[in-house]
């Protein structure tokens, strides 16, 4: 650090230079995040100093967090049950705003583990969870942090988890299952109802990772049962900072009842509140305000329009790619397309170096992965396909 402070002008001219190295999402087809909505940005600024790690000092931001959890609970069909003695929540749904899908997934599994090992039970057992092969790498962090074995079940030909494979992996040390509603690479939705049956039969928890799909699936024309309507689902991860158009960091973890969240409690003797069930201590109240504002501003209608727009781009991309001879691996379920092209790694590199397109690659099989977000336009898609054709014709 320099001894004497620099001038505001010097600092901001440097920051602006550096910012030019960042993307403004132009020609980005690889991201599940996007420009936050203007309303979210304004609300974020208004609550910039709010710390949800000390709820007593920031009662207003905390109220917004609770309202967001309530709205998300309604979106995800929680069953309302009044809990008179519940400490952390008044109604049956409860949860909190996390930094994103990674934290939500870690905490969901931590809650399973705490409930199963309460009072020193199962000491010495290596507990496990069964996740789809397509699970996000945040579950590798779970394994590493919590000493839980993460078993990966096979996928079917449509990249949904294969139920027989899940069943074959369940053993006496299995504590929970994970289903993904909108997997990262293909945008596919696992058969959550079948996972729910397995979970109920085997008395297991069922966490649904809807980090991406949570703000997409409820607004699709074709309904999928993936949320608290499905009886065995015990927790859901949903990220406002992805298709929810809020600011980063905005994730959310919802539990079916306070029973699950209470298992995460740690005493906080010197704070304005007695305990904390979050993973991080200091937490952004600005994110809560941003998410509250954009959800209120857009309403279901606004999110439906957003999803319709992205799905129209997706349909256009698939139709025009087919005309050029490129088939998608599956008929897209949401705004994620995995496109079969010859030599995808080379094509990806050339798209970037020659035409500044950012795309990503699926692991198995390797294909071009394209996420169609609100920052993309129909014109982008036409240009992208022209560039893809030039590269593959060489
Ligand atoms: N679960 C699912 C299904 C996800 O797709 C992701 C992230 C997570 C959990 C983890 O969420 P956080 O990253 O918020 O903790 N999926 C994207 C991915 O890994 C994240 C992303 C977003 C990556 C924008 C790049 C990017 O530019 O691809």
């Amino acid at each position: 650090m320099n001894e004497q402070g620099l001038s505001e002008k010097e600092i901001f001219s440097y920051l602006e230079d550096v910012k030019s190295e960042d993307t403004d999402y132009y020609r980005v087809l690889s991201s599940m995040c996007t420009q936050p909505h203007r309303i979210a940005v304004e609300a974020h600024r208004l609550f910039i100093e709010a710390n949800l790690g000390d709820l007593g000092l920031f009662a207003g931001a905390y109220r917004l967090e609770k309202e967001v959890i309530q709205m998300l609970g309604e979106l995800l069909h929680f069953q309302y049950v009044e809990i008179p003695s519940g400490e952390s929540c008044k109604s049956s749904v409860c949860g909190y705003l996390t930094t994103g899908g990674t934290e939500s997934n870690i905490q969901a599994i931590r809650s399973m583990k705490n409930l199963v090992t309460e009072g020193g039970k199962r000491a010495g057992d290596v507990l496990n969870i069964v996740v789809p092969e397509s699970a996000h790498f945040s579950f590798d962090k779970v394994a590493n942090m919590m000493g839980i074995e993460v078993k990966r079940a096979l996928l079917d030909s449509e990249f949904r988890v294969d139920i027989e494979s899940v069943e074959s992996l369940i053993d006496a040390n299995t504590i929970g299952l994970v289903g993904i509603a909108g997997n990262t690479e293909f945008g596919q939705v696992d058969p959550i109802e079948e996972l729910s049956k397995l979970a109920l039969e085997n008395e297991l928890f069922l966490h649904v990772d809807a980090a991406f799909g949570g703000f997409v699936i409820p607004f699709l024309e074709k309904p999928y049962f993936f949320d608290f309507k499905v009886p065995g689902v015990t927790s859901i991860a949903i990220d406002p900072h992805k298709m929810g158009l809020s600011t980063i960091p905005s994730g959310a973890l919802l539990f079916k009842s306070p029973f699950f969240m209470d298992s995460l409690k740690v005493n906080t003797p010197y704070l304005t509140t007695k305990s904390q069930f979050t993973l991080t201590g200091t937490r952004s109240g600005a994110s809560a305000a941003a998410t509250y504002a954009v959800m209120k501003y857009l309403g279901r209608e606004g999110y439906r329009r957003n999803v319709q727009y992205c799905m129209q781009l997706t349909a256009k991309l698939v139709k025009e790619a087919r005309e050029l001879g490129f088939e998608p691996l599956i008929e897209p379920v949401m705004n994620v397309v995995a496109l079969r092209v010859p030599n995808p790694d080379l094509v990806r590199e050339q798209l970037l170096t020659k035409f500044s397109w950012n795309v990503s690659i699926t692991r198995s099989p390797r294909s071009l992965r394209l996420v169609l977000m609100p920052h993309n336009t129909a014109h982008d898609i036409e240009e992208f396909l022209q560039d893809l054709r030039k590269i593959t014709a060489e």
Side-chain angles (χ1 to χ4, degrees):
M1 206 195 299
N2 36 299
E3 185 57 38
Q4 236 98 64
L6 301 182
S7 71
E8 195 175 320
K9 196 162 161 246
E10 278 171 298
I11 292 166
F12 279 91
S13 90
Y14 179 70
L15 290 183
E16 268 157 38
D17 272 0
V18 172
K19 190 159 163 64
S20 67
E21 294 170 26
D22 281 2
T23 180
D24 56 3
Y25 285 108
Y26 177 62
R27 295 202 162 186
V28 172
L29 290 166
S30 58
S31 174
M32 291 187 145
C33 292
T34 189
Q35 290 287 4
H37 195 284
R38 170 183 64 83
I39 295 287
V41 175
E42 276 177 35
H44 192 108
R45 284 210 185 100
L46 192 62
F47 278 78
I48 198 71
E49 71 278 39
N51 173 14
L52 288 173
D54 199 345
L55 304 177
L57 294 188
F58 297 96
Y62 181 39
R63 182 205 296 260
L64 296 178
E65 178 181 32
K66 284 191 288 190
E67 292 193 37
V68 169
I69 294 299
Q70 182 70 23
M71 285 192 278
L72 291 173
E74 284 164 13
L75 182 68
L76 300 174
H77 296 106
F78 79 96
Q79 307 295 312
Y80 189 88
V81 182
E82 193 75 33
I83 307 211
S85 59
E87 269 185 50
S88 31
C89 357
K90 203 159 101 291
S91 67
S92 60
V93 75
C94 64
Y96 76 95
L97 296 184
T98 66
T99 49
T102 299
E103 181 183 341
S104 302
N105 288 340
I106 290 171
Q107 287 282 84
I109 308 305
R110 197 178 137 226
S111 141
M112 295 179 190
K113 184 184 174 192
N114 286 354
L115 285 167
V116 168
T117 57
E118 225 166 34
K121 282 185 291 186
R122 314 282 300 259
D125 288 351
V126 180
L127 304 172
N128 68 65
I129 56 170
V130 182
V131 309
E133 182 86 269
S134 53
H136 186 256
F137 51 79
S138 43
F139 291 97
D140 296 333
K141 300 181 185 176
V142 166
N144 184 249
M145 285 169 76
M146 276 183 259
I148 282 185
E149 189 192 350
V150 176
K151 296 186 177 190
R152 293 184 174 263
L154 300 175
L155 305 184
D156 66 15
S157 59
E158 295 280 292
F159 305 104
R160 293 186 202 98
V161 76
D162 180 89
I163 288 293
E164 280 176 23
S165 173
V166 174
E167 194 165 13
S168 72
L169 292 174
I170 296 174
D171 63 23
N173 286 335
T174 304
I175 60 170
L177 307 179
V178 173
I180 313 171
N183 62 33
T184 311
E185 289 173 285
F186 308 99
Q188 182 59 281
V189 182
D190 286 326
I192 306 297
E193 287 173 289
E194 291 176 52
L195 287 171
S196 160
K197 267 190 217 142
L198 269 188
L200 293 171
E201 276 163 24
N202 293 280
E203 296 184 17
L204 301 172
F205 302 105
L206 173 57
H207 173 64
V208 175
D209 179 355
F212 186 71
F215 273 98
V216 180
I217 301 169
F219 307 110
L220 288 174
E221 277 169 31
K222 183 181 168 196
Y224 284 87
F225 291 102
F226 77 105
D227 59 19
F228 291 119
K229 249 190 190 164
V230 183
V233 172
T234 46
S235 57
I236 303 180
I238 173 171
D239 280 358
H241 69 204
K242 296 190 169 80
M243 284 291 280
L245 308 179
S246 188
T247 53
I248 296 173
S250 298
L253 173 62
L254 270 73
F255 290 104
K256 187 178 190 153
S257 92
F259 168 71
F260 301 100
M261 195 148 99
D262 286 348
S263 71
L264 296 171
K265 254 188 204 165
V266 169
N267 292 334
T268 50
Y270 54 83
L271 288 188
T272 50
T273 44
K274 286 198 212 85
S275 62
Q276 222 174 53
F277 33 77
T278 54
L279 186 60
T280 62
T282 302
R283 285 193 299 137
S284 167
S287 296
T291 304
Y292 174 86
V294 66
M295 287 185 76
K296 281 285 182 196
Y297 185 79
L298 289 178
R300 283 176 197 257
E301 195 198 341
Y303 282 114
R304 198 170 300 116
R305 256 188 277 121
N306 186 50
V307 168
Q308 269 165 4
Y309 175 79
C310 296
M311 291 310 288
Q312 276 160 9
L313 292 184
T314 305
K316 178 178 170 71
L317 175 80
V318 169
K319 180 171 169 282
E320 293 175 16
R322 276 197 166 115
E323 286 162 12
L324 296 177
F326 304 118
E327 280 295 315
L329 289 183
I330 54 166
E331 221 40 69
V333 169
M334 48 186 78
N335 45 332
V336 180
V337 180
L339 212 54
R340 208 187 288 276
V341 300
N343 211 339
D345 292 273
L346 187 64
V347 168
R348 176 200 195 175
E349 192 193 308
Q350 295 197 344
L351 280 167
L352 183 63
T353 52
K354 292 192 176 167
F355 302 109
S356 308
W357 289 106
N358 285 278
V359 302
S360 51
I361 298 278
T362 59
R363 286 170 295 179
S364 173
R366 293 188 87 71
S367 68
L368 278 196
R369 170 182 174 265
L370 309 163
V371 190
L372 287 309
M373 293 296 284
H375 57 257
N376 300 124
T377 64
H379 183 63
D380 287 348
I381 300 216
E382 285 157 21
E383 286 186 340
F384 170 74
L385 288 170
Q386 280 167 18
D387 295 341
L388 178 63
R389 196 181 52 174
K390 281 182 214 152
I391 285 169
T392 50
E394 276 167 11

